[in-house]
Amino acid sequence: MASTASAPAPVRILTVCTGNICRSPVAERLLQAGLDQVMPGGFVVTSAGTRAMVGDPMQPLSGDIVRTYGGNPDGFVSRQLTSKILRGVDLVLTMTSGHRGEVLQLDASLLKRTFTIREFARMLDVLDDRADSAADSANQGHAAADGGDPLSANTAFWRGLPARAASVRHLSLPADSAENDIIDPYRRSPDIYRQMEDELAPAIVSVLRHARVNLPA
C-alpha cells in the first residue's frame, strides 16, 4: 500500500458562486459523486463563494436537487473564497462570468484554468465530438500515457485539459453570452431553482462524460 507521501495527487476542482449555498454546492456534490464513480480517489471537488454566507448549510431546494441526482448534501458548510483556497487548484468552474472575474482578481495565475461551468462543458462537448468523428488518437493517448499508474495518468490528463478545452473555445461560443451563466435562485421561487437545475445539470453531465471517455486504461 502506497504511503500518503507517495500517493498520486488527485485532481483538485473548485466550484464558485456568490453565497456558496445554492449553485456551487450542487455542482460540488454532484461532480464529486459522479467523478467518484469514474475514478475513486482521483478527484477532490470543493466549493466557495465570492460573498459567502459563511457557515450556512446548503439551501434546502439545492439539497433536493443534489439528492435527485444521487449526491449527498449532508454536512455542507458555506465558506468564503480566498486566495489560500485557490492555491493548488487544477480547475476552477464558476457559475457566472462575473464570478470568473472575481476569482482572477484574487489569483491572476488561474487565468487559463478558470471557466464558467457552462462554457467549459461546451468545450468538452466539442472535444468529445472531435474524438468521435476523427478518432482523436492523440487526445486518447494522453489520457492513457503514464507508467501504468491510472491515478497519475488521470491527474496528468486533467491538468492538461484546460489548455485543450481553450483551444476549441472559438467552436463553442454561445449565441448569447448569458448562456455562460447559471441563474441565481437565492430567495426566489422553486421555478427558479428548476431553471438553475436545467442550466447546471447538462453541464455536469458533460464534465462527467468527458471524464468517463478519457479514463486511463
Side-chain angles (χ1 to χ4, degrees):
M1 181 176 178
S3 68
T4 302
S6 62
V11 179
R12 293 184 58 196
I13 300 173
L14 179 74
T15 66
V16 175
C17 70
T18 304
N20 192 214
I21 55 174
C22 296
R23 293 168 287 180
S24 58
V26 173
E28 172 199 320
R29 292 300 173 96
L30 293 184
L31 283 171
Q32 187 71 71
L35 292 169
D36 282 347
Q37 291 183 3
V38 172
M39 175 164 281
F43 299 86
V44 173
V45 188
T46 56
S47 65
T50 57
R51 286 175 292 285
M53 311 287 283
V54 176
D56 281 8
M58 193 183 309
Q59 287 287 285
L61 289 173
S62 287
D64 290 344
I65 293 169
V66 171
R67 290 188 188 92
T68 295
Y69 290 90
N72 182 2
D74 295 345
F76 181 85
V77 178
S78 171
R79 61 180 187 160
Q80 176 65 34
L81 180 69
T82 64
S83 55
K84 182 177 180 181
I85 285 173
L86 290 168
R87 204 170 299 143
V89 170
D90 297 305
L91 176 65
V92 183
L93 298 175
T94 70
M95 299 301 112
T96 70
S97 298
H99 296 133
R100 181 176 186 270
E102 292 184 82
V103 167
L104 298 180
Q105 285 179 355
L106 282 173
D107 191 340
S109 73
L110 290 169
L111 176 65
K112 296 182 178 179
R113 285 179 278 158
T114 304
F115 308 85
T116 77
I117 191 168
R118 292 181 82 184
E119 70 173 340
F120 188 67
R122 286 197 309 272
M123 294 173 192
L124 298 190
D125 289 343
V126 171
L127 291 176
D128 289 342
D129 288 345
R130 280 184 159 189
D132 288 343
S133 62
D136 189 350
S137 59
N139 190 41
Q140 298 294 332
H142 185 99
D146 194 81
D149 181 350
L151 278 175
S152 293
N154 185 68
T155 297
F157 175 82
W158 277 80
R159 286 180 176 167
L161 184 55
R164 290 192 298 280
S167 74
V168 297
R169 187 191 298 270
H170 62 293
L171 300 174
S172 61
L173 297 174
D176 183 342
S177 61
E179 293 178 38
N180 283 331
D181 295 348
I182 305 291
I183 194 167
D184 185 359
Y186 181 56
R187 289 184 172 172
R188 301 172 79 179
S189 71
D191 284 346
I192 304 301
Y193 275 87
R194 281 191 286 273
Q195 182 179 342
M196 176 192 77
E197 177 185 347
D198 289 344
E199 293 171 353
L200 183 54
I204 291 171
V205 168
S206 290
V207 175
L208 297 180
R209 180 173 59 237
H210 196 77
R212 280 197 307 271
V213 168
N214 293 283
L215 186 66

